[in-house]
Amino acid sequence: YFAGWPWVNAWCGDIDLIGRQKPASLARDVAWGLSSLEMAVRRPTPDGHFPWVANWGWPDELESWTWSGQEGKPLSVRLYTSADRVELLLNGRKLGDQAPDKMKAEFAVPYAPGKIEAVAYKDGRVVGRRKLETVGAAARLRLTPERPSTRSGREALAFVPIEVLDGQGRVLPEDQRSVTMKVTGPAELAAFGSANPLAVGSLQAPEAQTFRGRALAILRAKGSGRVRIEARSPGLPGAAATINFG
């Protein structure tokens, strides 16, 4: 179905705006021999709409088994694999198996919370496993700074992924919430945002909305030394990390 305004990017391609692989990229990992098995679930179509995919597009799939409100309704689970047979299990119960057609198998699975797991076999031997679990409520934020670039001065950048986690440390795949960043030390917030194709506003503002449980902050050095970056979101404990610009 078509999304309304605002729409700030085409949302096609294999990588989203903050560098995460989309399901299309995972499927191509299988085709290129980088992975033996990948799994994604097609988003249910809202009532009164129909799914439409452009010739250059890809179905709206997520690596998620968290679909509140869809209990008992069939969801399309797609498995991409180079194996000769793949089976699917829900909460330990085998749902069936298929021989993939052109490296793809698809199952219609009535949604029930828990764990869905795929196992791929080739010549009778397990060659891949993938699982998706229903996540809990948001419990905390996590900052995972990447190593700063080796450039010096104003050309030195550091990328800081932000994730919203449940109590077991799993990313909430559909979480969207406000996060505020604070930077202390010889650096400035060069950009802050998410992969949301409907996001508007300044990328240099200290506040942004997560999209699918994630966001990204980019810091630019103003000198050398230790920088502290803090993230806060209403209702969650704050998170912090340090980065050394040398």
Side-chain angles (χ1 to χ4, degrees), residues 183-188 220-228 243 245:
V183 179
T184 306
E188 62 184 357
R220 181 189 298 277
K222 296 169 64 177
S224 61
R226 175 169 293 188
V227 174
R228 178 179 171 86
I243 301 168
F245 283 101

Side-chain angles (χ1 to χ4, degrees), residues 137-161:
R140 62 187 178 94
L141 301 174
R142 179 170 65 191
L143 307 182
T144 313
E146 299 176 6
R147 182 178 299 177
S149 64
T150 57
R151 295 179 179 271
S152 60
R154 296 280 293 163
E155 294 185 351
L157 300 175
F159 294 80
V160 185

Side-chain angles (χ1 to χ4, degrees), residues 134-141 164-172 236-237:
T134 305
V135 304
R140 62 187 178 94
L141 301 174
V164 183
L165 308 180
D166 72 357
Q168 297 186 43
R170 301 172 299 192
V171 176
L172 275 65
L236 297 180

Side-chain angles (χ1 to χ4, degrees), residues 95-116:
L95 301 176
D97 60 71
Q98 292 185 27
D101 180 24
K102 298 180 180 178
M103 295 188 172
K104 183 178 74 175
E106 188 167 354
F107 294 80
V109 181
Y111 175 65
K115 179 175 71 173
I116 191 164

Side-chain angles (χ1 to χ4, degrees), residues 4-246:
W5 187 94
W7 189 261
V8 297
N9 74 61
W11 193 244
C12 55
D14 285 18
I15 308 296
D16 69 22
L17 288 176
I18 63 172
R20 299 284 305 177
Q21 281 186 282
K22 297 180 186 178
S25 179
L26 298 175
R28 279 186 255 279
D29 279 354
V30 172
W32 293 333
L34 302 176
S35 172
S36 59
L37 175 65
E38 298 294 341
M39 175 166 57
V41 180
R42 186 161 185 168
R43 183 190 301 279
T45 304
D47 293 339
H49 294 81
F50 67 92
W52 179 83
V53 181
N55 291 335
W56 59 87
W58 194 270
D60 189 5
E61 298 175 349
L62 286 81
E63 294 178 279
S64 171
W65 195 242
T66 303
W67 301 98
S68 178
Q70 299 297 319
E71 288 77 7
K73 298 180 182 179
L75 299 183
S76 176
V77 179
R78 290 188 172 184
L79 307 177
Y80 302 97
T81 181
S82 56
D84 50 40
R85 183 171 68 88
V86 64
E87 66 179 15
L88 195 65
L89 301 94
L90 178 60
N91 294 326
R93 180 175 63 89
K94 183 176 177 179
L95 301 176
D97 60 71
Q98 292 185 27
D101 180 24
K102 298 180 180 178
M103 295 188 172
K104 183 178 74 175
E106 188 167 354
F107 294 80
V109 181
Y111 175 65
K115 179 175 71 173
I116 191 164
E117 183 177 13
V119 185
Y121 298 86
K122 193 165 188 175
D123 299 326
R125 181 174 59 89
V126 174
V127 294
R129 293 181 182 270
R130 285 289 183 272
K131 69 177 180 179
L132 300 172
E133 296 179 318
T134 305
V135 304
R140 62 187 178 94
L141 301 174
R142 179 170 65 191
L143 307 182
T144 313
E146 299 176 6
R147 182 178 299 177
S149 64
T150 57
R151 295 179 179 271
S152 60
R154 296 280 293 163
E155 294 185 351
L157 300 175
F159 294 80
V160 185
I162 300 104
E163 298 168 314
V164 183
L165 308 180
D166 72 357
Q168 297 186 43
R170 301 172 299 192
V171 176
L172 275 65
E174 288 281 71
D175 191 82
Q176 185 168 336
R177 67 183 60 237
S178 176
V179 177
T180 302
M181 306 297 293
K182 179 182 178 182
V183 179
T184 306
E188 62 184 357
L189 189 63
F192 180 35
S194 72
N196 190 350
L198 303 180
V200 295
S202 172
L203 291 175
Q204 293 183 313
E207 182 177 344
Q209 295 279 326
T210 59
F211 175 68
R212 297 184 177 176
R214 291 182 166 91
L216 178 70
I218 304 175
L219 275 58
R220 181 189 298 277
K222 296 169 64 177
S224 61
R226 175 169 293 188
V227 174
R228 178 179 171 86
I229 182 168
E230 300 174 68
R232 296 191 178 278
S233 184
L236 297 180
T242 57
I243 301 168
N244 291 312
F245 283 101

